[in-house]
């Protein structure tokens, strides 16, 4: 990213939001296989019920992967130095997750240009699923 | 169930190596709906300066799942999986890993704390990822929360 492009990014800038399709059981099954995360709480309703839930819940890491897509849709992945989130609420079948980002800080350190982006993902009911931040840097 | 204290800090999980397979990266991209050329077309990735398909930001977590039993430490510590939730996740990146790389993982518990009079216990497990020759790729921390009085007890 050149000087001019960096200058154009203002604190407060909203990244293009990323809206994922409503989560199906099939999507969780595919993610289960593709991610190697076979925790039964995400695919086995009997197990989920025995753990006191009404149904299976989505992998938090799938929701984080969607937030990652918002970042890499905006900037090349090689710019991401840190990506740090907390999971706030469980994500259920049928929920459509929207990931949002806002530039919160800009600074230059050791000739590297940095951006700190606040990251927030919500379900369609407005409940927060995860929040955190990403640090991006550019030579 | 047990109440854990700071003595758990330093608990090591087994080291292992894993090759980043192109097919697995493509399957992961499919699972998260990623269709950008850089993640599914090796030539496109190379034209952008990557050695091959890049490992997407959260996929290092999935690579750790390839070791013999990624939940081994929870079993050994007798933590019922049904009472465990993923509370937080962070990644710090040094280099972008790509398909064809062989990565070495080593893990340890770096923090333990509790809230609400031990009703919620938090354990932070860190993985250190490096290339075979030793250069650092990333560290990533998984924070799990255990509901001490969950139904799985």
């Amino acid at each position: 990213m050149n000087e001019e492009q960096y200058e154009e990014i203002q604190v407060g800038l909203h990244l293009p939001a990323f809206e994922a399709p409503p989560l199906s059981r099939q999507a969780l099954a595919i993610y289960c296989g593709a991610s190697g995360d076979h925790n039964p709480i995400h695919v086995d309703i009997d197990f989920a019920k025995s753990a006191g839930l009404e149904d299976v819940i989505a992998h938090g890491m799938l929701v984080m992967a969607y937030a990652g897509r918002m970042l890499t849709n905006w900037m090349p992945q090689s710019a991401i130095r840190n990506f740090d989130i907390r999971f706030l609420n469980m994500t259920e079948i049928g929920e459509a997750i929207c990931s949002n980002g806002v530039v919160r800080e800009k600074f230059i350190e050791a000739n590297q240009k940095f951006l700190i982006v606040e990251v927030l993902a919500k379900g369609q009911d407005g409940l927060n699923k995860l929040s955190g931040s990403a640090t991006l840097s550019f030579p | 169930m047990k109440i854990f204290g700071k003595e758990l800090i330093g608990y090591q999980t087994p080291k292992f190596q894993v090759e980043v397979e192109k097919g697995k990266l493509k399957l992961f991209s499919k699972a998260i709906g990623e269709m950008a050329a850089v993640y599914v077309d090796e030539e496109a990735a190379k034209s952008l300066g990557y050695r091959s398909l890049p490992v997407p930001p959260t996929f290092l977590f999935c690579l750790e799942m390839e070791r013999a039993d990624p939940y081994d430490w929870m079993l050994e510590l007798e933590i019922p999986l049904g009472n465990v939730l993923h509370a937080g996740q962070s990644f710090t990146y040094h280099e972008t890993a790509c398909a064809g790389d062989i990565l070495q993982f080593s893990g340890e518990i770096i923090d333990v704390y509790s809230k609400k009079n031990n009703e919620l216990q938090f354990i932070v497990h860190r993985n250190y990822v490096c290339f075979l020759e030793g250069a650092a790729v990333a560290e990533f921390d998984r924070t799990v929360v255990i509901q001490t009085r969950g139904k799985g007890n």
Side-chain angles (χ1 to χ4, degrees):
Chain A
M1 171 180 293
N2 64 34
E3 207 68 44
E4 203 176 315
Q5 291 166 317
Y6 185 71
E7 284 306 316
E8 276 175 13
I9 296 173
Q10 299 293 323
V11 169
L13 175 77
H14 285 250
L15 277 60
F18 173 73
E19 208 161 321
L23 279 167
S24 63
R25 291 174 197 283
Q26 187 197 24
L28 296 190
I30 293 173
Y31 186 81
C32 171
S35 68
D37 185 346
H38 301 164
N39 185 335
I41 207 153
H42 305 301
V43 286
D44 182 340
I45 192 167
D46 301 329
F47 182 88
K49 283 184 171 165
S50 76
L53 299 171
E54 281 179 20
D55 199 347
V56 295
I57 54 170
H59 301 75
M61 290 306 289
L62 174 56
V63 181
M64 190 176 188
Y66 289 149
R69 285 191 61 192
M70 174 194 66
L71 295 172
T72 58
N73 283 347
W74 187 57
M75 285 291 165
Q77 180 178 331
S78 52
I80 305 175
R81 303 262 56 90
N82 178 267
F83 186 16
D84 181 5
I85 63 93
R86 282 179 306 134
F87 294 108
L88 302 173
N89 282 291
M90 293 184 219
T91 298
E92 295 169 8
I93 298 290
E95 290 202 90
I97 303 299
C98 186
S99 301
N100 295 280
V102 184
V103 176
R104 289 298 182 203
E105 268 185 68
K106 276 180 82 175
F107 61 94
I108 294 179
E109 201 177 275
N111 284 326
Q112 293 261 316
K113 308 176 198 73
F114 286 87
L115 295 175
I116 295 180
V117 174
E118 181 187 351
V119 175
L120 187 65
K122 291 172 187 275
Q124 66 268 53
D125 58 0
L127 204 60
N128 292 337
K129 300 303 184 183
L130 62 76
S131 75
S133 67
T135 304
L136 281 66
S137 84
F138 308 90
Chain B
M1 65 168 278
K2 268 189 254 181
I3 304 299
F4 299 104
K6 300 282 182 196
E7 70 282 350
L8 219 53
I9 294 173
Y11 177 102
Q12 313 259 322
T13 50
K15 278 188 186 181
F16 81 109
Q17 290 178 1
V18 62
E19 181 177 351
V20 181
E21 294 173 34
K22 211 183 304 175
K24 288 212 168 132
L25 292 184
K26 287 184 181 176
L27 181 59
F28 181 77
S29 286
K30 186 177 173 186
I32 67 168
E34 178 63 83
M35 285 173 286
V38 63
Y39 294 109
V40 292
D41 175 352
E42 189 173 25
E43 291 311 310
K46 284 182 175 170
S47 73
L48 290 166
Y50 296 103
R51 296 180 299 284
S52 177
L53 298 179
V55 170
T58 62
F59 191 73
L60 289 170
F61 180 93
C62 306
L63 283 169
E64 201 232 334
M65 293 290 157
E66 295 202 21
R67 68 190 181 84
D69 180 5
Y71 293 106
D72 52 6
W73 59 275
M74 293 188 203
L75 281 177
E76 191 176 309
L77 297 171
E78 296 173 5
I79 299 169
L81 211 49
N83 295 353
V84 176
L85 288 172
H86 200 168
Q89 185 66 38
S90 77
F91 296 87
T92 298
Y93 306 97
H94 306 292
E95 297 288 343
T96 304
C98 292
D101 289 343
I102 298 175
L103 301 178
Q104 186 158 284
F105 285 64
S106 53
E108 66 175 331
I109 290 173
I110 60 158
D111 201 8
V112 180
Y113 54 95
S114 64
K115 291 183 182 172
K116 297 188 181 173
N117 287 327
N118 292 328
E119 273 181 41
L120 298 175
Q121 297 193 73
F122 295 78
I123 300 179
V124 186
H125 178 250
R126 172 170 293 176
N127 268 282
Y128 300 87
V129 187
C130 60
F131 293 119
L132 280 188
E133 67 272 22
V137 172
E139 295 91 48
F140 62 96
D141 294 351
R142 167 163 61 159
T143 303
V144 296
V145 56
I146 307 157
Q147 301 167 87
T148 309
R149 291 180 201 155
K151 285 194 174 178
N153 285 314

